[in-house]
Amino acid sequence: MTSTVSTARGLVARQELGTVLPHEHLFINLMRERRADGLIADEATVTEELNVFTALGGGTVVDLTTAELTPGAAPDAGASPPPPGASRDPANVLAVQRVAEATGLHVVLGTGHYRDPFLDRDWFDRHGADAIAEEIVRDLTEGFPGTGGVRAGIIGEVGCDKWYISAAEERSLRAAARAQRASGAAVHTHAARWPVGLPQLDLLTSEGADPARVAIGHCDTVTAPGYAEQIARRGAYVGVDTINTDHAGEVDRRVRMVLDLVRAGYIDNILLSHDVCLISQLRAYGGGGYGFVHTRFREQLLASGLDAGEFEHITTANPARLLCS
């Protein structure tokens, strides 16, 4: 059992993580798909937004911004070319480190590769799963190149664009599983809209990944009946982690999902987060920012029957176990 996790400011003991947001993004470039609001790169804004979570008693944010989402996603982007190798842009990593220091938060950095259409098919065609895994392990054990040794603490988010796993995504997921076996780090996936988290689990476990160290992301965007419970029954974490809208119907549906999982005996498998990844989701631009889960969503959960101790368990013990067990 590991009792610490690497963060942007160094190793942190499990008991010091505090309240955790397990699926967020600080600086991110999604403009391939979202030209209007898909770039978060302003350091002062990100610092101010995260201070809201700090003021609510927050302790740790998991930044699942993988390699393909980082070029151009930093205030000093382009100041110098990134070093060779498929990893996070060092400018992105160092910006996250500065924000962590300014806010006092622990920020766990993700490594690995995102999903189609962001994946570099030419690069993937020239690298097998073992070679990709070696680079992921390097980020976890030696640090991201060009950052002075800032290390990743989790693999992710890695995943799928559609309802199936493409050839490049399969190689990425196999590499993630092999890197988990070599490093002991957790894996966090992207599995939105369709129940593709189940074949993701099949693939990861076929490579020897421990389902107890796997989180399937965006389960709250999948409406297939029983899907979230199937994920939990297999021992993986259920990401109720796109809690980034105040639309009453969407909030109600996520509240019901959490309560159903708790009543079915799966309180230990739930992760709550926002997945802030767009300018429009920040408080400064009218969104809920990094504080919505611990304000309105918490209030509605408690009003619907969850008790405060159960909410604390979900937002402290569960992500700490994922990161450090």
Side-chain angles (χ1 to χ4, degrees):
M1 177 180 292
T2 58
S3 59
T4 60
V5 63
S6 294
T7 76
R9 294 192 290 143
L11 286 175
V12 174
R14 176 174 175 168
Q15 65 270 22
E16 296 175 2
L17 292 172
T19 301
V20 182
L21 290 175
H23 190 145
E24 304 294 345
H25 303 277
L26 275 58
F27 299 96
I28 184 170
N29 184 355
L30 280 170
M31 292 187 73
R32 181 165 188 151
E33 292 180 332
R34 300 286 300 233
R35 295 295 299 176
D37 62 349
L39 178 66
I40 301 178
D42 184 81
E43 195 165 319
T45 298
V46 172
T47 302
E48 183 176 351
E49 294 281 330
L50 283 170
N51 275 330
V52 172
F53 179 54
T54 306
L56 290 167
T60 300
V61 174
V62 181
D63 176 42
L64 294 176
T65 314
T66 38
E68 295 79 14
L69 301 178
T70 61
D76 53 350
S80 59
S87 189
R88 291 177 72 135
D89 188 331
N92 175 275
V93 173
L94 295 175
V96 170
Q97 185 182 56
R98 291 192 298 270
V99 169
E101 291 169 346
T103 60
L105 290 168
H106 304 303
V107 181
V108 180
L109 291 153
T111 180
H113 300 277
Y114 187 39
R115 59 165 173 83
D116 287 332
F118 291 87
L119 301 179
D120 183 338
R121 289 302 188 92
D122 179 65
W123 188 88
F124 268 83
D125 285 346
R126 291 183 287 108
H127 292 78
D130 283 341
I132 299 169
E134 287 175 6
E135 294 203 342
I136 295 172
V137 172
R138 176 206 60 202
D139 291 346
L140 290 159
T141 58
E142 301 175 20
F144 297 102
T147 66
V150 179
R151 292 194 288 170
I154 190 170
I155 304 163
E157 65 184 294
V158 296
C160 304
D161 182 43
K162 293 186 170 67
W163 56 92
Y164 56 85
I165 302 172
S166 74
E169 291 166 347
E170 177 182 350
R171 196 168 303 161
S172 174
L173 286 161
R174 289 192 187 281
R178 294 176 192 183
Q180 187 203 79
R181 287 190 358 240
S183 67
V187 176
H188 204 305
T189 79
H190 173 101
R193 295 176 294 278
W194 297 284
V196 71
L198 293 170
Q200 285 180 352
L201 264 179
D202 289 340
L203 194 156
L204 291 168
T205 55
S206 75
E207 287 282 349
D210 179 0
R213 304 301 311 289
V214 173
I216 301 299
H218 312 321
C219 294
D220 51 329
T221 69
V222 180
T223 57
Y227 172 67
E229 189 170 330
Q230 285 180 277
I231 297 292
R233 190 180 306 125
R234 295 182 59 175
Y237 289 85
V238 174
V240 184
D241 54 13
T242 61
I243 308 171
N244 51 36
T245 175
D246 63 359
H247 184 280
E250 291 297 314
V251 173
D252 289 347
R253 186 168 62 80
R254 286 164 171 81
V255 166
R256 288 196 303 272
M257 176 178 280
V258 171
L259 292 176
D260 287 347
L261 285 166
V262 171
R263 289 165 183 156
Y266 296 115
I267 190 171
D268 289 341
N269 299 80
I270 304 168
L271 298 175
L272 302 181
S273 214
H274 308 95
D275 188 28
V276 169
C277 58
L278 304 171
I279 282 284
S280 56
Q281 292 167 346
L282 299 175
R283 286 167 62 100
Y285 295 86
Y290 300 99
F292 189 78
V293 165
H294 292 273
T295 52
R296 180 179 164 187
F297 193 73
R298 178 182 183 275
E299 292 164 4
Q300 191 155 333
L301 278 172
L302 300 191
S304 300
L306 196 75
D307 69 47
E310 290 171 323
F311 180 83
E312 182 178 0
H313 179 87
I314 292 169
T315 56
T316 57
N318 289 358
R321 192 185 324 110
L322 171 72
L323 293 167
C324 295
S325 64

